[in-house]
Amino acid sequence: MGSEENNNESNKITATQQAIASCCGAIITSLLVTPLDVVKIRLQAQSSSFANGKCFVYSNGLMDHVYVCENGNNKAWYKKPGHFRGMWDAFVKIIKIEGIKSLWSGLPPTLIMALPGTVIYFTSYDQLSEVLITKIGQDSDHIPVLAGSISRLGSLTVLSPLELIRTKMQSRILSYKQLHMCISNTVAKDGWLSLWKGWFPTALRDVPFSAIYWYNYERFKKKLCKICDAREPTFMISFTSGAAAGSIAATITLPFDVVKTCKQTEIWEFETLNLSQKSSKSTWTIMKRIVAEHGFTGLFAGIVPRLIKVAPACAIMISTYEYGKSFFHKLNKKNVQNH
């Protein structure tokens, strides 16, 4: 019995292996999902042009980024002309006229942000889950909720200052020395907490999303393993569970997503245009305004494009992550047997 426990301990994957698995998952997810958002933004720009200094949300499939509109130069990929009749037509024409690389416009800066965030998030989730299992017990439904919420809080807290720095770099051409002075002046004027502007509306959406997502993912995974009579989740079980859990979480938290987008774009516009910022409106005030102007359905605006993006992103990320963990688990087991 003791030797079996020792084998299980040595077979367990390390935090470094979990980080590598999540890193690979993040890269694959970004490569597959970024073209969807590039096409979506190009279609939006075609119907209503983006004004200079205004902001819109760009996603690489793992996280959202606020992108500041620039003058119509060669870097402004979202302003390139196009007469697209729909998503598929946009895909074909962009590849034909601009080359396939255009579908991954803006990926490098967002990927630099996504990789550390994803590594912190997924590795923390697994590490916290292991600790909570020893404290609470394996069958508790609270474990995915607690681990998902805490790990998301950690990752978005680390990334908030990086998001601010990235937006300042995009808003105008700055050398690293100028950027350092800009950040130093902001901190001197408004304090260190100014680096976390936009943190609260992001947390209000992402923390409940993570809690709902991981709770449903673990439940779906267990049920599908029973149905398929599988001891370990297969790639398809993880993929299906991730897509279903992501869709449920995205739908429930959509009102917070609408408010977060509205609030954060306003913050970045004030930052970019150097305007004096008025007192920030509360989440509840923004929600009431949306309901008054657009009705209750206004809180669920954009549900279809959000689901089209979130469901495959969640499915690809979790299935590649689980596959990576399974690979390392087998590798560790083989190394133990060889020794």
Side-chain angles (χ1 to χ4, degrees):
M1 181 75 178
S3 63
E4 191 178 323
E5 281 179 14
N6 288 336
N7 278 345
N8 285 337
E9 282 296 314
S10 53
N11 289 349
K12 278 172 67 176
I13 66 170
T14 64
T16 304
Q17 289 173 332
Q18 288 169 342
I20 293 167
S22 60
C23 202
C24 292
I27 292 167
I28 292 166
T29 306
S30 298
L31 289 173
L32 292 175
V33 180
T34 295
L36 291 174
D37 217 53
V38 168
V39 167
K40 186 196 81 175
I41 289 165
R42 292 287 291 276
L43 287 167
Q44 284 176 342
Q46 177 181 275
S47 59
S48 56
S49 59
F50 298 136
N52 186 39
K54 289 289 178 182
C55 299
F56 62 87
V57 175
Y58 171 85
S59 175
N60 61 0
L62 295 167
M63 58 195 299
D64 295 337
H65 302 275
V66 179
Y67 204 102
V68 183
C69 297
E70 307 164 34
N71 283 321
N73 55 29
N74 59 349
K75 288 185 180 178
W77 51 269
Y78 47 84
K79 285 191 175 182
K80 286 178 183 173
H83 302 285
F84 310 126
R85 293 191 297 272
M87 188 167 271
W88 180 248
D89 186 53
F91 267 112
V92 173
K93 283 181 179 173
I94 289 170
I95 292 168
K96 193 176 178 182
I97 298 165
E98 301 169 30
I100 198 164
K101 282 184 182 178
S102 288
L103 291 174
W104 285 272
S105 300
L107 177 62
T110 51
L111 198 53
I112 289 165
M113 291 270 304
L115 288 178
T118 307
V119 168
I120 293 166
Y121 178 40
F122 280 85
T123 308
S124 299
Y125 175 79
D126 275 344
Q127 294 291 318
L128 282 167
S129 294
E130 285 178 25
V131 171
L132 290 168
I133 284 168
T134 59
K135 302 285 183 186
I136 304 172
Q138 195 158 4
D139 296 326
S140 175
D141 286 337
H142 300 304
I143 290 171
V145 175
L146 286 169
S149 300
I150 296 166
S151 57
R152 176 57 81 184
L153 264 177
S155 65
L156 72 89
T157 301
V158 169
L159 286 181
S160 276
L162 294 177
E163 177 71 31
L164 180 77
I165 290 165
R166 191 188 66 82
T167 307
K168 281 185 182 293
M169 287 184 80
Q170 282 186 335
S171 62
R172 51 198 174 275
I173 298 167
L174 294 170
S175 67
Y176 286 106
K177 189 177 179 181
Q178 288 172 319
L179 180 67
H180 181 262
M181 284 181 66
C182 187
I183 300 291
S184 299
N185 291 338
T186 303
V187 170
K189 185 183 171 186
D190 303 317
W192 283 100
L193 287 177
S194 62
L195 295 178
W196 279 269
K197 278 181 181 176
W199 180 90
F200 183 72
T202 306
L204 204 59
R205 181 201 65 174
D206 287 0
V207 174
F209 180 95
S210 294
I212 296 162
Y213 171 77
W214 286 110
Y215 173 77
N216 284 300
Y217 172 72
E218 298 292 355
R219 280 172 63 90
F220 287 140
K221 187 173 74 172
K222 282 178 187 173
K223 284 182 181 178
L224 287 173
C225 281
K226 278 184 184 178
I227 292 167
C228 300
D229 197 25
R231 288 181 65 187
E232 294 293 328
T234 62
F235 183 87
M236 279 313 298
I237 286 173
S238 298
F239 189 93
T240 307
S241 302
S247 298
I248 292 166
T251 304
I252 294 171
T253 60
L254 188 59
F256 294 115
D257 183 54
V258 171
V259 172
K260 177 249 176 187
T261 303
C262 176
K263 211 170 181 183
Q264 204 168 23
T265 49
E266 281 177 8
I267 288 169
W268 295 134
E269 281 167 15
F270 280 117
E271 284 283 328
T272 308
L273 300 172
N274 292 320
L275 299 173
S276 57
Q277 190 169 344
K278 296 173 185 176
S279 57
S280 185
K281 293 175 185 173
S282 70
T283 298
W284 180 242
T285 306
I286 294 171
M287 278 187 167
K288 284 201 292 185
R289 189 189 73 197
I290 291 167
V291 171
E293 290 177 4
H294 307 287
F296 185 74
T297 53
L299 293 173
F300 291 88
I303 188 165
V304 174
R306 179 155 162 78
L307 286 176
I308 288 170
K309 184 172 64 183
V310 170
C314 287
I316 296 162
M317 181 63 220
I318 196 64
S319 53
T320 50
Y321 178 59
E322 293 279 20
Y323 182 83
K325 288 200 299 179
S326 176
F327 168 80
F328 283 119
H329 182 76
K330 287 172 185 173
L331 187 69
N332 293 348
K333 193 174 181 182
K334 191 178 177 182
N335 288 339
V336 168
Q337 287 171 348
N338 288 342
H339 286 87

